Amino acid sequence: MTSYNLNTSITYLKGTGPSRADLLKKELGIRTFGDLINFFPRRYIDRTQFFKINQLQQNSSEIQIVGKITAIKTVQQKRGSRLVATFKDDTGIMELVWFRGAKWIKESLKINTPYVIFGKTNFFGNSFSMPHPEMELVSEYKRNLRGSMQPIYASTELLTNKGVSNRVIQKMMQSLFEQIGRNFKETLSKDILTKYELLPKSESLFNIHFPKNQELLTQAQQRLKFEELFFIQLQLIRKKLIRKSKIKGYTFLKVGTYFNSFYKNNLPFELTNAQKRVLKEIRKDIGSNAQMNRLLQGDVGSGKTIVALMSMLIAIDNGFQAAIMAPTEILATQHYNSVKELLNGMDVNVRLLTGSVKTKERRIIHEELESGELHILIGTHALIEDKVKFKNLGIAIIDEQHRFGVEQRSKLWRKNELPPHILVMTATPIPRTLAMSVYGDLDISVIDELPPGRKEIATAHRYDSNRLSVFKFMKEEIAKGKQVYVVYPLIKESEKMDYKDLMDGYESISREFPKPAYQVSIVHGKMKAEDKEYEMNRFLKKETQIMVATTVIEVGVNIPNASVMVIESAERFGLSQLHQLRGRVGRGADQSYCILMTSHKLSANAKTRLETMVKTSDGFEIADVDLKLRGPGNIMGKQQSGVLNLKIADVVSDTHILKNARETAFEVLQKDPSLKLPENTMLLQAYKNLHKNGEIWSNIS
């Protein structure tokens, strides 16, 4: 007798065969018995209820009926033909219709034999019909394995066209249970199962595919969600503990002249309590002999740069160099300018390295880096080129790190014999659940208060019909000596349309704000870099009062005198983009405003986004709403969208399970870091299997 296990190829599943196996692999990534058993249903339909034909309503919901086929005919139509069967029960008659596969369906149908049919009904010309019903002989229906809740699996157009229907996948599941039995290895320890009253693994897998009732289905879902999140957390926390014990970092024990002199003479304002707390956390990290790997979150304008700079000054005090890597030239240049300004009068050598730095200057940078004369290097991806060699890089600050791939970040590590301390900064607040999942192996610091004197930005939603009053308000602010941004969306697919919107907007603003009383700048993606620079500088020098732009100003421009942000077609922006744009104003001590302009036609999601913006300026609250609206994949950006490829759990709706899973993983590893205790044998085995099959993330942060 052949023995089958979860690693057996799906080709050997009864009734599958090589071509269907190939299709399942391409379309759904199902290669083995194990992949199939972990292909969980998306939803369920209650199949306990049967209808009679005379009870049907015109609402086209999915229903099931028992009856017999009394006649079959082929009806010619403009393109090809359709197959029509007359279906009858003791209360009436309806039609079953097939538009595809008529030949083999016709051959397989049995006349005057009881069938169970299931599908959506259509009502037309006084009678009901059901297109492409799922059908089963009553004799087979009684014999088959099934629960009252019918699982519905995700599918693709190609699978449907090739006849791999939901019914077929259900049959495959049935064959699988018949071939390997119902005995699955337990993966969680007795303690965990008892503590959270979780179903055993075998029972959970059976009830997720063939639920006997709603209660067992819910228990099976809870158990499998917990398990999935638990092993991810186990990996993240284990990685963090191993890193702290094994990966040694430079120990910065000295807080010396550079740091103290900056603190005494150059600090522009008293540090907030949040900044002090974060600095303390960083100092503790870099003072231990483990490598720091910390994520620093804080809203736009919360003062992350000062914290980063003070951390770099500690490295310099200890005889090391520091670097800041930013995703764009604009952002790198802004960091360079603000660091230079903050260090004014201090003997610290700071340089900027981006793609547009000339060869001659590059040579100087390379020489000064290798000799150790250069203290701080700020730049873009140019920092990780092989030619860039530090004498001794002690700390690397990575800004907006979700825009860098894992590979790019790890290149920074390899610049030294010991890895530098890493501080990752983001102005895009990451919801706590996502941070626990994606950055679970990083230590997390949050700057959650704004510097003193900063006023909250007043935000309002206005319709296009209120435009004249918005123009009037802009004029009032300009009369006070303030400046205004007017931002238009830029969405790649419709660049022509966006460009037209921008130019139309520019013309109507130029008419409403005529020269010489007003000067208007324009900046967009199609302009040459030097033209953009020229316009940005005019605005910075207050030579123009209004800056009409696309989202190129989302990151990087710091103009304290700009007090009004008008966002046109605000419904076309995502929440985090709206929040980032709003953060471009409110840089000074005066009251600032953000006006969201939209048409009257708004989707429910757009309304939620606008209401959220008007209601709160708390980046974390906004990020939570964003996560609920868009899901984790879209928030993480391209480089990391595959990270949260969860099979059953959902970090948005399963927060409580995630918290329990993380706490439990932490408790287990605190007691038994290498999972060697007898009670953790199952955990270790399951953990190794997941690693071997590549089902656990190998490189997250």
Side-chain angles (χ1 to χ4, degrees), residues 115-143:
Y115 273 104
V116 174
I117 64 162
F118 174 79
K120 278 191 169 183
T121 54
N122 292 333
F123 184 74
F124 185 73
N126 249 349
S127 65
F128 285 94
S129 66
M130 189 182 282
H132 291 269
E134 276 185 29
M135 301 188 64
E136 217 176 344
L137 291 168
V138 169
S139 54
E140 219 175 275
Y141 178 88
K142 285 176 177 163
R143 208 171 44 237

PDB file of all heavy atoms in Angstrom, residues 115-143:
ATOM      1  N   TYR A 115     -31.607  14.522  -8.479  1.00  0.00           N
ATOM      2  CA  TYR A 115     -30.372  15.313  -8.328  1.00  0.00           C
ATOM      3  C   TYR A 115     -30.553  16.351  -7.226  1.00  0.00           C
ATOM      4  O   TYR A 115     -31.667  16.835  -6.998  1.00  0.00           O
ATOM      5  CB  TYR A 115     -30.107  16.122  -9.605  1.00  0.00           C
ATOM      6  CG  TYR A 115     -29.325  15.407 -10.687  1.00  0.00           C
ATOM      7  CD1 TYR A 115     -29.968  14.901 -11.825  1.00  0.00           C
ATOM      8  CD2 TYR A 115     -27.930  15.295 -10.603  1.00  0.00           C
ATOM      9  CE1 TYR A 115     -29.254  14.278 -12.837  1.00  0.00           C
ATOM     10  CE2 TYR A 115     -27.208  14.680 -11.624  1.00  0.00           C
ATOM     11  CZ  TYR A 115     -27.861  14.173 -12.730  1.00  0.00           C
ATOM     12  OH  TYR A 115     -27.154  13.573 -13.733  1.00  0.00           O
ATOM     13  N   VAL A 116     -29.424  16.739  -6.606  1.00  0.00           N
ATOM     14  CA  VAL A 116     -29.403  17.949  -5.772  1.00  0.00           C
ATOM     15  C   VAL A 116     -28.717  18.995  -6.635  1.00  0.00           C
ATOM     16  O   VAL A 116     -27.587  18.791  -7.091  1.00  0.00           O
ATOM     17  CB  VAL A 116     -28.572  17.745  -4.480  1.00  0.00           C
ATOM     18  CG1 VAL A 116     -28.444  19.073  -3.715  1.00  0.00           C
ATOM     19  CG2 VAL A 116     -29.209  16.703  -3.591  1.00  0.00           C
ATOM     20  N   ILE A 117     -29.411  20.122  -6.901  1.00  0.00           N
ATOM     21  CA  ILE A 117     -28.750  21.189  -7.672  1.00  0.00           C
ATOM     22  C   ILE A 117     -28.528  22.386  -6.753  1.00  0.00           C
ATOM     23  O   ILE A 117     -29.283  22.612  -5.808  1.00  0.00           O
ATOM     24  CB  ILE A 117     -29.560  21.602  -8.930  1.00  0.00           C
ATOM     25  CG1 ILE A 117     -30.912  22.214  -8.523  1.00  0.00           C
ATOM     26  CG2 ILE A 117     -29.742  20.431  -9.877  1.00  0.00           C
ATOM     27  CD1 ILE A 117     -31.568  23.015  -9.629  1.00  0.00           C
ATOM     28  N   PHE A 118     -27.447  23.137  -7.053  1.00  0.00           N
ATOM     29  CA  PHE A 118     -27.106  24.290  -6.210  1.00  0.00           C
ATOM     30  C   PHE A 118     -26.568  25.409  -7.106  1.00  0.00           C
ATOM     31  O   PHE A 118     -25.776  25.173  -8.013  1.00  0.00           O
ATOM     32  CB  PHE A 118     -26.041  23.885  -5.183  1.00  0.00           C
ATOM     33  CG  PHE A 118     -25.536  25.042  -4.366  1.00  0.00           C
ATOM     34  CD1 PHE A 118     -26.279  25.539  -3.303  1.00  0.00           C
ATOM     35  CD2 PHE A 118     -24.325  25.660  -4.657  1.00  0.00           C
ATOM     36  CE1 PHE A 118     -25.831  26.618  -2.554  1.00  0.00           C
ATOM     37  CE2 PHE A 118     -23.866  26.739  -3.911  1.00  0.00           C
ATOM     38  CZ  PHE A 118     -24.626  27.217  -2.856  1.00  0.00           C
ATOM     39  N   GLY A 119     -27.040  26.641  -6.874  1.00  0.00           N
ATOM     40  CA  GLY A 119     -26.526  27.775  -7.648  1.00  0.00           C
ATOM     41  C   GLY A 119     -27.403  28.998  -7.478  1.00  0.00           C
ATOM     42  O   GLY A 119     -28.313  29.021  -6.638  1.00  0.00           O
ATOM     43  N   LYS A 120     -27.129  30.014  -8.302  1.00  0.00           N
ATOM     44  CA  LYS A 120     -27.930  31.247  -8.247  1.00  0.00           C
ATOM     45  C   LYS A 120     -29.036  31.145  -9.286  1.00  0.00           C
ATOM     46  O   LYS A 120     -28.818  30.663 -10.391  1.00  0.00           O
ATOM     47  CB  LYS A 120     -27.048  32.454  -8.589  1.00  0.00           C
ATOM     48  CG  LYS A 120     -26.239  32.951  -7.412  1.00  0.00           C
ATOM     49  CD  LYS A 120     -25.605  34.294  -7.723  1.00  0.00           C
ATOM     50  CE  LYS A 120     -25.041  34.898  -6.444  1.00  0.00           C
ATOM     51  NZ  LYS A 120     -24.467  36.197  -6.611  1.00  0.00           N
ATOM     52  N   THR A 121     -30.232  31.673  -8.937  1.00  0.00           N
ATOM     53  CA  THR A 121     -31.337  31.603  -9.897  1.00  0.00           C
ATOM     54  C   THR A 121     -31.521  32.941 -10.607  1.00  0.00           C
ATOM     55  O   THR A 121     -31.220  33.999 -10.040  1.00  0.00           O
ATOM     56  CB  THR A 121     -32.652  31.247  -9.175  1.00  0.00           C
ATOM     57  OG1 THR A 121     -32.837  32.187  -8.114  1.00  0.00           O
ATOM     58  CG2 THR A 121     -32.621  29.848  -8.621  1.00  0.00           C
ATOM     59  N   ASN A 122     -32.000  32.880 -11.856  1.00  0.00           N
ATOM     60  CA  ASN A 122     -32.397  34.085 -12.597  1.00  0.00           C
ATOM     61  C   ASN A 122     -33.895  33.995 -12.853  1.00  0.00           C
ATOM     62  O   ASN A 122     -34.434  32.895 -13.000  1.00  0.00           O
ATOM     63  CB  ASN A 122     -31.676  34.156 -13.952  1.00  0.00           C
ATOM     64  CG  ASN A 122     -30.188  34.399 -13.769  1.00  0.00           C
ATOM     65  OD1 ASN A 122     -29.777  34.980 -12.771  1.00  0.00           O
ATOM     66  ND2 ASN A 122     -29.373  33.934 -14.702  1.00  0.00           N
ATOM     67  N   PHE A 123     -34.564  35.145 -12.916  1.00  0.00           N
ATOM     68  CA  PHE A 123     -36.000  35.144 -13.213  1.00  0.00           C
ATOM     69  C   PHE A 123     -36.212  35.923 -14.504  1.00  0.00           C
ATOM     70  O   PHE A 123     -35.796  37.068 -14.626  1.00  0.00           O
ATOM     71  CB  PHE A 123     -36.774  35.817 -12.064  1.00  0.00           C
ATOM     72  CG  PHE A 123     -38.264  35.771 -12.250  1.00  0.00           C
ATOM     73  CD1 PHE A 123     -38.962  34.581 -12.061  1.00  0.00           C
ATOM     74  CD2 PHE A 123     -38.977  36.910 -12.625  1.00  0.00           C
ATOM     75  CE1 PHE A 123     -40.347  34.526 -12.228  1.00  0.00           C
ATOM     76  CE2 PHE A 123     -40.356  36.864 -12.805  1.00  0.00           C
ATOM     77  CZ  PHE A 123     -41.040  35.666 -12.601  1.00  0.00           C
ATOM     78  N   PHE A 124     -36.799  35.248 -15.507  1.00  0.00           N
ATOM     79  CA  PHE A 124     -36.979  35.918 -16.792  1.00  0.00           C
ATOM     80  C   PHE A 124     -38.229  35.356 -17.473  1.00  0.00           C
ATOM     81  O   PHE A 124     -38.427  34.143 -17.515  1.00  0.00           O
ATOM     82  CB  PHE A 124     -35.737  35.705 -17.672  1.00  0.00           C
ATOM     83  CG  PHE A 124     -35.784  36.450 -18.972  1.00  0.00           C
ATOM     84  CD1 PHE A 124     -35.611  37.836 -19.003  1.00  0.00           C
ATOM     85  CD2 PHE A 124     -36.036  35.781 -20.167  1.00  0.00           C
ATOM     86  CE1 PHE A 124     -35.669  38.525 -20.205  1.00  0.00           C
ATOM     87  CE2 PHE A 124     -36.104  36.471 -21.367  1.00  0.00           C
ATOM     88  CZ  PHE A 124     -35.912  37.842 -21.386  1.00  0.00           C
ATOM     89  N   GLY A 125     -39.046  36.247 -18.006  1.00  0.00           N
ATOM     90  CA  GLY A 125     -40.257  35.811 -18.742  1.00  0.00           C
ATOM     91  C   GLY A 125     -41.141  34.896 -17.920  1.00  0.00           C
ATOM     92  O   GLY A 125     -41.589  33.846 -18.390  1.00  0.00           O
ATOM     93  N   ASN A 126     -41.338  35.247 -16.662  1.00  0.00           N
ATOM     94  CA  ASN A 126     -42.240  34.498 -15.787  1.00  0.00           C
ATOM     95  C   ASN A 126     -41.742  33.151 -15.288  1.00  0.00           C
ATOM     96  O   ASN A 126     -42.490  32.399 -14.682  1.00  0.00           O
ATOM     97  CB  ASN A 126     -43.607  34.294 -16.462  1.00  0.00           C
ATOM     98  CG  ASN A 126     -44.659  35.121 -15.726  1.00  0.00           C
ATOM     99  OD1 ASN A 126     -44.390  35.653 -14.638  1.00  0.00           O
ATOM    100  ND2 ASN A 126     -45.843  35.226 -16.305  1.00  0.00           N
ATOM    101  N   SER A 127     -40.475  32.787 -15.585  1.00  0.00           N
ATOM    102  CA  SER A 127     -39.999  31.506 -15.049  1.00  0.00           C
ATOM    103  C   SER A 127     -38.556  31.621 -14.558  1.00  0.00           C
ATOM    104  O   SER A 127     -37.831  32.539 -14.931  1.00  0.00           O
ATOM    105  CB  SER A 127     -40.126  30.405 -16.101  1.00  0.00           C
ATOM    106  OG  SER A 127     -39.267  30.709 -17.174  1.00  0.00           O
ATOM    107  N   PHE A 128     -38.170  30.662 -13.727  1.00  0.00           N
ATOM    108  CA  PHE A 128     -36.824  30.665 -13.136  1.00  0.00           C
ATOM    109  C   PHE A 128     -35.873  29.784 -13.934  1.00  0.00           C
ATOM    110  O   PHE A 128     -36.281  28.768 -14.509  1.00  0.00           O
ATOM    111  CB  PHE A 128     -36.885  30.142 -11.691  1.00  0.00           C
ATOM    112  CG  PHE A 128     -37.458  31.147 -10.729  1.00  0.00           C
ATOM    113  CD1 PHE A 128     -38.811  31.142 -10.401  1.00  0.00           C
ATOM    114  CD2 PHE A 128     -36.634  32.116 -10.156  1.00  0.00           C
ATOM    115  CE1 PHE A 128     -39.332  32.075  -9.515  1.00  0.00           C
ATOM    116  CE2 PHE A 128     -37.155  33.049  -9.267  1.00  0.00           C
ATOM    117  CZ  PHE A 128     -38.503  33.037  -8.942  1.00  0.00           C
ATOM    118  N   SER A 129     -34.589  30.188 -13.921  1.00  0.00           N
ATOM    119  CA  SER A 129     -33.566  29.315 -14.511  1.00  0.00           C
ATOM    120  C   SER A 129     -32.334  29.376 -13.619  1.00  0.00           C
ATOM    121  O   SER A 129     -32.159  30.308 -12.828  1.00  0.00           O
ATOM    122  CB  SER A 129     -33.214  29.778 -15.921  1.00  0.00           C
ATOM    123  OG  SER A 129     -32.591  31.049 -15.863  1.00  0.00           O
ATOM    124  N   MET A 130     -31.450  28.372 -13.748  1.00  0.00           N
ATOM    125  CA  MET A 130     -30.201  28.365 -12.979  1.00  0.00           C
ATOM    126  C   MET A 130     -29.060  28.087 -13.952  1.00  0.00           C
ATOM    127  O   MET A 130     -28.963  26.990 -14.506  1.00  0.00           O
ATOM    128  CB  MET A 130     -30.258  27.281 -11.889  1.00  0.00           C
ATOM    129  CG  MET A 130     -29.086  27.356 -10.906  1.00  0.00           C
ATOM    130  SD  MET A 130     -29.132  26.029  -9.669  1.00  0.00           S
ATOM    131  CE  MET A 130     -30.363  26.604  -8.504  1.00  0.00           C
ATOM    132  N   PRO A 131     -28.187  29.090 -14.197  1.00  0.00           N
ATOM    133  CA  PRO A 131     -27.063  28.842 -15.109  1.00  0.00           C
ATOM    134  C   PRO A 131     -25.939  28.078 -14.397  1.00  0.00           C
ATOM    135  O   PRO A 131     -25.660  28.326 -13.228  1.00  0.00           O
ATOM    136  CB  PRO A 131     -26.597  30.256 -15.492  1.00  0.00           C
ATOM    137  CG  PRO A 131     -27.104  31.148 -14.432  1.00  0.00           C
ATOM    138  CD  PRO A 131     -28.263  30.478 -13.764  1.00  0.00           C
ATOM    139  N   HIS A 132     -25.330  27.137 -15.132  1.00  0.00           N
ATOM    140  CA  HIS A 132     -24.183  26.345 -14.635  1.00  0.00           C
ATOM    141  C   HIS A 132     -24.341  25.890 -13.184  1.00  0.00           C
ATOM    142  O   HIS A 132     -23.557  26.238 -12.310  1.00  0.00           O
ATOM    143  CB  HIS A 132     -22.883  27.149 -14.785  1.00  0.00           C
ATOM    144  CG  HIS A 132     -22.505  27.326 -16.217  1.00  0.00           C
ATOM    145  ND1 HIS A 132     -21.694  26.439 -16.889  1.00  0.00           N
ATOM    146  CD2 HIS A 132     -22.862  28.269 -17.117  1.00  0.00           C
ATOM    147  CE1 HIS A 132     -21.566  26.841 -18.156  1.00  0.00           C
ATOM    148  NE2 HIS A 132     -22.260  27.946 -18.321  1.00  0.00           N
ATOM    149  N   PRO A 133     -25.401  25.098 -12.881  1.00  0.00           N
ATOM    150  CA  PRO A 133     -25.586  24.674 -11.489  1.00  0.00           C
ATOM    151  C   PRO A 133     -24.511  23.659 -11.069  1.00  0.00           C
ATOM    152  O   PRO A 133     -23.955  22.961 -11.917  1.00  0.00           O
ATOM    153  CB  PRO A 133     -26.953  23.991 -11.523  1.00  0.00           C
ATOM    154  CG  PRO A 133     -27.096  23.516 -12.937  1.00  0.00           C
ATOM    155  CD  PRO A 133     -26.398  24.520 -13.790  1.00  0.00           C
ATOM    156  N   GLU A 134     -24.262  23.611  -9.762  1.00  0.00           N
ATOM    157  CA  GLU A 134     -23.472  22.487  -9.240  1.00  0.00           C
ATOM    158  C   GLU A 134     -24.470  21.354  -9.080  1.00  0.00           C
ATOM    159  O   GLU A 134     -25.554  21.568  -8.533  1.00  0.00           O
ATOM    160  CB  GLU A 134     -22.916  22.843  -7.857  1.00  0.00           C
ATOM    161  CG  GLU A 134     -21.634  23.620  -7.898  1.00  0.00           C
ATOM    162  CD  GLU A 134     -21.074  23.834  -6.495  1.00  0.00           C
ATOM    163  OE1 GLU A 134     -21.310  22.993  -5.599  1.00  0.00           O
ATOM    164  OE2 GLU A 134     -20.411  24.859  -6.292  1.00  0.00           O
ATOM    165  N   MET A 135     -24.105  20.149  -9.551  1.00  0.00           N
ATOM    166  CA  MET A 135     -25.074  19.051  -9.512  1.00  0.00           C
ATOM    167  C   MET A 135     -24.472  17.798  -8.898  1.00  0.00           C
ATOM    168  O   MET A 135     -23.302  17.510  -9.090  1.00  0.00           O
ATOM    169  CB  MET A 135     -25.541  18.721 -10.938  1.00  0.00           C
ATOM    170  CG  MET A 135     -26.169  19.905 -11.617  1.00  0.00           C
ATOM    171  SD  MET A 135     -26.915  19.444 -13.183  1.00  0.00           S
ATOM    172  CE  MET A 135     -28.212  18.330 -12.697  1.00  0.00           C
ATOM    173  N   GLU A 136     -25.324  17.076  -8.174  1.00  0.00           N
ATOM    174  CA  GLU A 136     -24.875  15.830  -7.570  1.00  0.00           C
ATOM    175  C   GLU A 136     -26.063  14.885  -7.513  1.00  0.00           C
ATOM    176  O   GLU A 136     -27.167  15.318  -7.157  1.00  0.00           O
ATOM    177  CB  GLU A 136     -24.415  16.149  -6.140  1.00  0.00           C
ATOM    178  CG  GLU A 136     -23.236  15.366  -5.695  1.00  0.00           C
ATOM    179  CD  GLU A 136     -22.776  15.815  -4.299  1.00  0.00           C
ATOM    180  OE1 GLU A 136     -23.165  16.904  -3.828  1.00  0.00           O
ATOM    181  OE2 GLU A 136     -22.050  15.051  -3.687  1.00  0.00           O
ATOM    182  N   LEU A 137     -25.855  13.638  -7.860  1.00  0.00           N
ATOM    183  CA  LEU A 137     -26.946  12.670  -7.720  1.00  0.00           C
ATOM    184  C   LEU A 137     -27.283  12.555  -6.232  1.00  0.00           C
ATOM    185  O   LEU A 137     -26.380  12.580  -5.390  1.00  0.00           O
ATOM    186  CB  LEU A 137     -26.513  11.301  -8.261  1.00  0.00           C
ATOM    187  CG  LEU A 137     -26.332  11.241  -9.784  1.00  0.00           C
ATOM    188  CD1 LEU A 137     -25.625   9.958 -10.188  1.00  0.00           C
ATOM    189  CD2 LEU A 137     -27.686  11.322 -10.485  1.00  0.00           C
ATOM    190  N   VAL A 138     -28.555  12.429  -5.901  1.00  0.00           N
ATOM    191  CA  VAL A 138     -28.961  12.343  -4.496  1.00  0.00           C
ATOM    192  C   VAL A 138     -28.250  11.180  -3.803  1.00  0.00           C
ATOM    193  O   VAL A 138     -27.794  11.290  -2.662  1.00  0.00           O
ATOM    194  CB  VAL A 138     -30.502  12.224  -4.374  1.00  0.00           C
ATOM    195  CG1 VAL A 138     -30.912  11.852  -2.947  1.00  0.00           C
ATOM    196  CG2 VAL A 138     -31.156  13.548  -4.765  1.00  0.00           C
ATOM    197  N   SER A 139     -28.086  10.061  -4.526  1.00  0.00           N
ATOM    198  CA  SER A 139     -27.417   8.887  -3.937  1.00  0.00           C
ATOM    199  C   SER A 139     -25.977   9.236  -3.514  1.00  0.00           C
ATOM    200  O   SER A 139     -25.504   8.829  -2.453  1.00  0.00           O
ATOM    201  CB  SER A 139     -27.396   7.734  -4.940  1.00  0.00           C
ATOM    202  OG  SER A 139     -26.810   8.191  -6.155  1.00  0.00           O
ATOM    203  N   GLU A 140     -25.304  10.031  -4.366  1.00  0.00           N
ATOM    204  CA  GLU A 140     -23.909  10.435  -4.079  1.00  0.00           C
ATOM    205  C   GLU A 140     -23.887  11.452  -2.936  1.00  0.00           C
ATOM    206  O   GLU A 140     -23.031  11.418  -2.067  1.00  0.00           O
ATOM    207  CB  GLU A 140     -23.348  11.087  -5.343  1.00  0.00           C
ATOM    208  CG  GLU A 140     -21.909  10.729  -5.624  1.00  0.00           C
ATOM    209  CD  GLU A 140     -21.486  11.333  -6.952  1.00  0.00           C
ATOM    210  OE1 GLU A 140     -21.724  10.718  -8.013  1.00  0.00           O
ATOM    211  OE2 GLU A 140     -20.954  12.456  -6.913  1.00  0.00           O
ATOM    212  N   TYR A 141     -24.855  12.364  -2.986  1.00  0.00           N
ATOM    213  CA  TYR A 141     -24.946  13.442  -1.983  1.00  0.00           C
ATOM    214  C   TYR A 141     -25.020  12.840  -0.575  1.00  0.00           C
ATOM    215  O   TYR A 141     -24.382  13.304   0.353  1.00  0.00           O
ATOM    216  CB  TYR A 141     -26.194  14.289  -2.266  1.00  0.00           C
ATOM    217  CG  TYR A 141     -26.436  15.414  -1.277  1.00  0.00           C
ATOM    218  CD1 TYR A 141     -25.855  16.664  -1.466  1.00  0.00           C
ATOM    219  CD2 TYR A 141     -27.249  15.228  -0.153  1.00  0.00           C
ATOM    220  CE1 TYR A 141     -26.072  17.701  -0.563  1.00  0.00           C
ATOM    221  CE2 TYR A 141     -27.471  16.255   0.756  1.00  0.00           C
ATOM    222  CZ  TYR A 141     -26.879  17.497   0.547  1.00  0.00           C
ATOM    223  OH  TYR A 141     -27.086  18.512   1.443  1.00  0.00           O
ATOM    224  N   LYS A 142     -25.809  11.772  -0.437  1.00  0.00           N
ATOM    225  CA  LYS A 142     -25.985  11.155   0.883  1.00  0.00           C
ATOM    226  C   LYS A 142     -24.702  10.470   1.348  1.00  0.00           C
ATOM    227  O   LYS A 142     -24.429  10.362   2.535  1.00  0.00           O
ATOM    228  CB  LYS A 142     -27.130  10.135   0.837  1.00  0.00           C
ATOM    229  CG  LYS A 142     -28.495  10.812   0.794  1.00  0.00           C
ATOM    230  CD  LYS A 142     -29.617   9.803   0.660  1.00  0.00           C
ATOM    231  CE  LYS A 142     -30.975  10.504   0.700  1.00  0.00           C
ATOM    232  NZ  LYS A 142     -32.053   9.632   0.184  1.00  0.00           N
ATOM    233  N   ARG A 143     -23.919   9.971   0.361  1.00  0.00           N
ATOM    234  CA  ARG A 143     -22.724   9.192   0.691  1.00  0.00           C
ATOM    235  C   ARG A 143     -21.522  10.091   1.030  1.00  0.00           C
ATOM    236  O   ARG A 143     -20.610   9.705   1.726  1.00  0.00           O
ATOM    237  CB  ARG A 143     -22.392   8.309  -0.517  1.00  0.00           C
ATOM    238  CG  ARG A 143     -21.681   7.027  -0.146  1.00  0.00           C
ATOM    239  CD  ARG A 143     -21.533   6.051  -1.300  1.00  0.00           C
ATOM    240  NE  ARG A 143     -21.119   6.649  -2.554  1.00  0.00           N
ATOM    241  CZ  ARG A 143     -21.815   6.554  -3.681  1.00  0.00           C
ATOM    242  NH1 ARG A 143     -22.965   5.910  -3.683  1.00  0.00           N
ATOM    243  NH2 ARG A 143     -21.378   7.099  -4.798  1.00  0.00           N
TER     244      ARG A 143
END
